[in-house]
Amino acid sequence: MKCKSAVIKLGGSLITDKSSPRTINWDSLNDSILQIYKYYKESNAKIVLVHGGGSFGHYEVDKIRKTRNVIDSFSTSLIQESMLTLALAVLKSSINSGIPASLHPAHTICKSNVKDCNYYPIINDLNNGLIPITYGDAVFDGEGKIISGDDLSVQISNIINSDCLIFATDVEGILDEKGNLIRELRRDQNINIINRNVFDVTGGIINKINKAFNSKSNNIRIVSGKEIYNALNGEDVGTKIISL
Ligand code: IP8
């Protein structure tokens, strides 16, 4: 079924070059955004966009954790600055393609975790026809805490009751140990998967799968960035996460 409402998470590995600090993968970012614009124009679906940290947030946190155990207020500020820089690129790409985007940095709406955020500004923009963008971020609550974009995506999908939750990544979906695509994944399934971890401070693919199981969306998928339009259009692409 075509998505009438969707939360789309653009993974940091898709929109940045994870091997190079603070580097945007403009080709991949623009291509992802163009697919979202195309679908939005055709369908008028309600869409919330969330993005990850990639070589911005994850690199910054990794660097800080090498020298200290807790993230202090100044370090929080550094992480926020790096994520805002990436968010502005996502916003620019969206606006250039014609998307009426609005930016909601998580540190301006969240206190300490995704259950403690004021999602009203996002919902309000969504109901008024905009495409709100939020992203994984750092908040300061006595100490610096990382808010993951995956958690935000699941939480928002449940709050707005989106029928689709799409995690777009730089691989075609979840791959088994032989590198073959797993088409469907259930909570009780025992599988060995490939886990790549290039400075991912929020836990990599296994964590992503476990988080995705908490969404109540009917159509939860982990797909290649090249398949965002097809996933929104209801095609059976990538890995379908069966959370029931
Ligand atoms: O890439 C993490 O967001 P994620 C954001 O969605 C930071 O896990 C600041 C590392």
Side-chain angles (χ1 to χ4, degrees):
M1 266 223 324
K2 287 176 191 276
C3 302
K4 292 194 188 73
S5 57
V7 175
I8 305 166
K9 160 86 192 294
L10 298 178
S13 58
L14 178 67
I15 60 171
T16 73
D17 177 355
K18 269 196 148 180
S19 64
S20 172
R22 292 178 73 111
T23 308
I24 293 161
N25 184 339
W26 282 105
D27 286 348
S28 182
L29 170 60
N30 290 335
D31 178 62
S32 304
I33 294 290
L34 276 176
Q35 293 178 60
I36 294 167
Y37 173 72
K38 181 168 183 258
Y39 187 75
Y40 168 73
K41 266 294 177 216
E42 285 172 11
S43 67
N44 217 15
K46 284 189 185 302
I47 295 172
V48 176
L49 209 52
V50 181
H51 70 79
S55 69
F56 286 76
H58 288 279
Y59 168 75
E60 207 63 55
V61 177
D62 200 50
K63 206 168 67 177
I64 292 161
R65 286 200 175 145
K66 279 187 179 129
T67 56
R68 58 190 77 211
N69 291 331
V70 287
I71 300 173
D72 63 15
S73 53
F74 188 71
S75 303
T76 304
S77 179
L78 290 176
I79 301 164
Q80 290 179 352
E81 185 275 334
S82 76
M83 285 309 299
L84 187 58
T85 305
L86 176 57
L88 287 175
V90 176
L91 180 67
K92 196 167 192 60
S93 174
S94 303
I95 288 170
N96 286 349
S97 77
I99 288 177
S102 64
L103 192 59
H104 300 265
H107 73 262
T108 64
I109 56 169
C110 298
K111 268 183 165 172
S112 60
N113 60 65
V114 294
K115 297 221 157 78
D116 200 3
C117 307
N118 172 16
Y119 291 105
Y120 182 73
I122 290 179
I123 295 165
N124 195 45
D125 281 353
L126 185 66
N127 289 340
N128 285 314
L130 279 83
I131 296 194
I133 302 174
T134 188
Y135 53 89
D137 205 350
V139 291
F140 193 75
D141 180 32
E143 65 179 84
K145 289 180 180 150
I146 304 305
I147 304 252
S148 121
D150 289 340
D151 286 333
L152 283 169
S153 305
V154 170
Q155 190 72 11
I156 295 171
S157 78
N158 286 341
I159 287 173
I160 68 167
N161 276 320
S162 70
D163 43 13
C164 298
L165 171 58
I166 313 284
F167 293 95
T169 69
D170 62 338
V171 286
E172 56 178 327
I174 305 295
L175 307 179
D176 67 18
E177 61 204 326
K178 292 192 187 115
N180 297 321
L181 177 69
I182 299 169
R183 305 299 300 267
E184 276 191 8
L185 204 51
R186 291 189 164 70
R187 205 185 277 270
D188 53 9
Q189 220 166 311
N190 227 340
I191 43 133
N192 288 321
I193 62 169
I194 293 181
N195 192 17
R196 297 167 311 148
N197 241 343
V198 196
F199 50 73
D200 192 327
V201 296
T202 48
I205 201 76
I206 311 246
N207 235 4
K208 185 188 287 292
I209 298 167
N210 285 329
K211 288 168 180 176
F213 281 130
N214 293 323
S215 171
K216 298 189 187 83
S217 291
N218 287 327
N219 191 357
I220 309 166
R221 283 180 191 274
I222 300 179
V223 305
S224 151
K226 296 189 176 66
E227 302 272 21
I228 297 172
Y229 176 84
N230 293 337
L232 290 167
N233 214 22
E235 290 176 32
D236 186 18
V237 288
T239 302
K240 181 163 194 194
I241 304 285
I242 318 268
S243 65
L244 300 172

